[in-house]
């Protein structure tokens, strides 16, 4: 499946591109489809800001995104990086108390606010201290009236954007009046971009992995992500309650699991659960192999006197099949995850101590015995330990899977 978006460049007074307005599309036809505004905004965010891999629509300069009333009141823009987006308050919004409080909150959180198709009605005046940009539609308002409004309001700490600039005469008049930014067919028509769409459950997995890989993990955020997905919550609680050290009372929440396992262990644990979530529609053997590789890397780290790296080694082994689980290149996926450099180097280039462990695991699985011997020498490992680690890791991964009874389909 594919997602579609059109983007139209926005220029400054030097006619350099400073950003793009993103316009929702649902097919090859470069026109806004018949769809409810809030649904269009939600799809645009999910398909362009929460997708796996590089997306030309959101690369580079800031993007201007239209938000209707409901999306703003629900503070939907807060899902997006404040330094990369500009929130456009649609002209269909009603300037009531709910909207005013939402705009003020977004402003105080550091977001850039733009009023789209501003029509200079008095009820919007109280919003202006919280607005950075006013967009004036030259075709709707009229070139002369729009220019006069800018001249009258030059003293305000607000930037003005001329929208629907169709001709050189329009641009010259808007430039002379003092508009700061310009957008319209005179410069460029919207460009249609097509991207491969990523399934929602995989987006959740990436979000969870992003959080758990940070140096300082925000466990409240992790809990929020887990709680938002039924199948993910189910997997976590099944794994905690089926762990080898049985709990007296069944654990029923992430907070309980965090207290029981501790922060360091929960990072590894949630990583395994997220990988299981990614593997829901994959063969069970692929997930089993991820767990096996994670456990074997951990055991080899301990045996090679690199016990200090055992947690990193577990993650390295676990993520070594992430490309197969998420149907994307490892380079693109790792670019989204705040992993420490030595883990990234191990996964991408088999460099460093962790890379040597992973290279040994690769060689053993491929029955490349000469390379196994060379890796063992580099790590000062007895080859018999490698054989023993493989069998123990295999038994552990099978026990882990059998105990948790991982479903093939999301729990409902």
């Amino acid at each position: 499946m594919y997602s579609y978006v059109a983007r139209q460049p926005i220029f400054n007074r030097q006619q350099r591109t400073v950003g793009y307005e993103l316009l929702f599309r649902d097919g090859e036809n470069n026109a806004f489809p018949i769809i409810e505004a809030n649904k269009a905004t939600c799809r645009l965010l999910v398909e362009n800001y929460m997708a796996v891999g590089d997306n030309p629509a959101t690369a580079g300069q800031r993007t201007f995104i239209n938000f209707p009333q409901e999306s703003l009141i629900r503070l939907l823009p807060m899902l997006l990086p404040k330094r990369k987006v500009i929130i456009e308050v649609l002209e269909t919004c009603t300037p009531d108390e709910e909207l005013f409080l939402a705009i003020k909150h977004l402003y105080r959180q550091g977001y850039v606010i733009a009023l789209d198709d501003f029509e200079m009605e008095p009820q919007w005046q109280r919003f202006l201290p919280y607005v950075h940009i006013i967009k004036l539609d030259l075709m709707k308002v009229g070139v002369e009236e729009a220019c006069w409004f800018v001249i009258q309001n030059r003293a305000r700490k607000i930037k003005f954007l001329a929208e629907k600039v169709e001709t050189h005469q329009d641009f010259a008049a808007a430039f002379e009046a003092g508009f700061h930014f310009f957008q319209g067919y005179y410069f460029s028509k919207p460009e249609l971009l097509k991207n491969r769409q990523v399934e929602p459950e995989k987006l959740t997995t990436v979000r969870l992995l992003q959080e758990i890989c940070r140096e300082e993990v925000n466990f409240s955020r992790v809990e929020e992500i887990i709680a938002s997905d039924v199948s993910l919550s189910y997997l976590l609680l099944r794994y905690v309650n089926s762990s080898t050290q049985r709990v007296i009372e069944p654990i029923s929440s992430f907070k309980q699991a965090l207290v029981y396992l501790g922060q360091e262990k929960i990072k590894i644990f949630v990583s395994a659960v997220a990988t299981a979530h990614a593997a829901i529609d994959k063969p069970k053997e692929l997930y089993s192999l991820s767990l096996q590789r994670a456990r074997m890397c951990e055991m080899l780290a301990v045996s090679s006197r690199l016990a200090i790296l055992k947690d990193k080694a577990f993650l390295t082994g676990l993520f070594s099949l992430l490309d197969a689980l998420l149907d994307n290149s490892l380079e693109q996926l790792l670019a989204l995850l705040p992993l420490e450099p030595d883990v990234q180097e191990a996964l991408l280039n088999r460099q460093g101590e962790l890379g040597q462990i992973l290279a040994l695991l690769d060689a053993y699985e491929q029955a490349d015995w000469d390379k196994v011997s060379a890796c063992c020498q580099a790590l000062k490992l007895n080859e018999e330990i490698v054989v023993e680690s493989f069998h123990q890791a295999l038994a552990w991964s099978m026990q882990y899977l059998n105990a948790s009874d991982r479903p093939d389909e999301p729990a409902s």
Side-chain angles (χ1 to χ4, degrees):
M1 294 180 64
Y2 291 90
S3 63
Y4 300 84
V5 66
R7 68 173 191 175
Q8 188 173 32
I10 293 169
F11 300 89
N12 62 13
R13 291 177 65 83
Q14 288 73 46
Q15 297 191 50
R16 295 184 182 137
T17 304
V18 294
Y20 293 91
E21 180 171 8
L22 296 191
L23 307 165
F24 176 74
R25 301 288 187 262
D26 67 352
E28 302 281 354
N29 184 23
N30 194 357
F32 190 83
I34 300 174
I35 185 174
E36 196 272 326
N38 287 288
K39 184 176 181 181
T41 297
C42 287
R43 280 189 56 184
L44 187 146
L45 299 191
V46 169
E47 293 170 6
N48 291 278
Y49 279 92
M50 301 176 189
V52 174
D54 298 326
N55 187 345
T58 57
Q61 289 98 341
R62 284 182 185 257
T63 49
F64 290 63
I65 300 175
N66 294 319
F67 285 91
Q69 184 102 3
E70 183 183 336
S71 296
L72 289 166
I73 292 171
R74 289 169 50 204
L75 300 177
L76 195 64
M78 291 189 67
L79 294 173
L80 302 178
K82 65 184 73 174
R83 292 180 179 84
K84 291 189 176 181
V85 299
I86 292 174
I87 299 166
E88 288 197 29
V89 182
L90 273 178
E91 71 277 9
T92 54
C93 291
T94 304
D96 56 20
E97 187 64 20
E98 275 191 309
L99 184 66
F100 179 68
L101 293 175
I103 296 302
K104 188 157 64 169
H105 181 75
L106 290 166
Y107 173 88
R108 288 174 175 170
Q109 293 301 311
Y111 286 89
V112 177
I113 311 293
L115 294 183
D116 190 26
D117 289 354
F118 186 67
E119 294 187 358
M120 299 167 277
E121 295 174 351
Q123 56 264 45
W124 285 101
Q125 288 300 314
R126 64 172 176 157
F127 286 77
L128 297 186
Y130 307 103
V131 170
H132 303 85
I133 300 170
I134 287 179
K135 296 183 70 173
L136 294 170
D137 186 327
L138 300 190
M139 294 184 69
K140 183 186 292 185
V141 176
V143 175
E144 288 187 10
E145 188 172 350
C147 290
W148 177 246
F149 180 82
V150 171
I151 292 169
Q152 293 293 104
N153 289 275
R154 279 177 174 173
R156 290 185 181 272
K157 293 182 179 179
I158 294 178
K159 304 288 186 182
F160 296 96
L161 191 158
E163 195 175 16
K164 302 280 180 67
V165 179
E166 304 290 298
T167 65
H168 176 71
Q169 289 78 10
D170 292 344
F171 169 65
F175 185 93
E176 181 67 24
F179 275 92
H180 303 87
F181 306 113
F182 310 88
Q183 175 184 5
Y185 279 18
Y186 171 64
F187 301 99
S188 176
K189 294 182 179 181
E191 172 193 13
L192 185 68
L193 301 176
K194 176 181 177 181
N195 294 294
R196 186 172 294 279
Q197 193 172 342
V198 181
E199 294 85 348
E201 66 271 11
K202 293 181 179 177
L203 298 175
T204 305
T205 300
V206 171
R207 288 174 59 211
L208 185 57
L209 291 176
Q210 285 175 330
E211 293 298 329
I212 211 67
C213 290
R214 300 186 195 282
E215 187 174 348
E216 294 293 330
V217 179
N218 184 336
F219 285 97
S220 296
R221 182 66 181 143
V222 172
E223 180 184 10
E224 182 183 327
I225 295 170
I226 290 173
S228 70
D229 190 284
V230 175
S231 62
L232 197 55
S233 301
Y234 174 83
L235 285 168
L236 176 68
L237 298 180
R238 288 286 298 190
Y239 280 129
V240 176
N241 288 315
S242 63
S243 61
T244 53
Q245 295 180 340
R246 304 293 296 183
V247 294
I248 298 173
E249 294 291 334
I251 288 175
S252 58
S253 72
F254 177 80
K255 285 182 180 177
Q256 280 183 279
L258 179 57
V259 171
Y260 174 68
L261 295 169
Q263 291 197 6
E264 286 307 310
K265 193 172 181 182
I266 202 76
K267 287 177 67 173
I268 301 299
F269 201 71
V270 172
S271 300
V273 172
T275 309
H277 193 247
I280 279 174
D281 60 349
K282 296 288 183 178
K284 190 171 182 177
E285 291 73 18
L286 184 58
Y287 177 55
S288 175
L289 186 57
S290 296
L291 288 177
Q292 180 185 324
R293 289 169 70 86
R295 182 64 165 172
M296 187 170 175
C297 283
E298 180 185 47
M299 295 175 71
L300 290 174
V302 174
S303 299
S304 62
R305 299 185 182 87
L306 297 173
I308 193 172
L309 298 176
K310 68 182 183 70
D311 289 346
K312 287 185 181 180
F314 185 94
L315 282 180
T316 302
L318 188 68
F319 291 169
S320 62
L321 296 179
L322 204 57
D323 50 348
L325 290 169
L326 290 175
D327 296 321
N328 221 289
S329 74
L330 201 56
E331 289 83 357
Q332 288 182 321
L333 291 167
L334 295 185
L336 299 172
L337 303 180
L339 289 170
E340 293 185 41
D342 53 348
V343 178
Q344 294 230 23
E345 277 297 300
L347 288 166
L348 293 176
N349 304 312
R350 299 301 191 262
Q351 297 294 313
E353 294 170 324
L354 293 172
Q356 288 180 333
I357 292 172
L358 201 54
L360 172 56
L361 187 149
D362 292 338
Y364 188 86
E365 289 182 348
Q366 295 161 13
D368 186 343
W369 308 124
D370 290 338
K371 190 170 182 180
V372 167
S373 296
C375 289
C376 283
Q377 288 180 13
L379 291 165
K380 298 180 181 178
L381 271 175
N382 188 311
E383 291 184 32
E384 292 180 1
I385 291 177
V386 179
V387 178
E388 183 180 341
S389 297
F390 174 80
H391 289 295
Q392 287 187 15
L394 177 60
W396 178 85
S397 64
M398 295 304 297
Q399 180 186 10
Y400 204 77
L401 283 170
N402 292 335
S404 61
D405 189 27
R406 184 180 71 85
D408 290 328
E409 297 297 332
S412 58

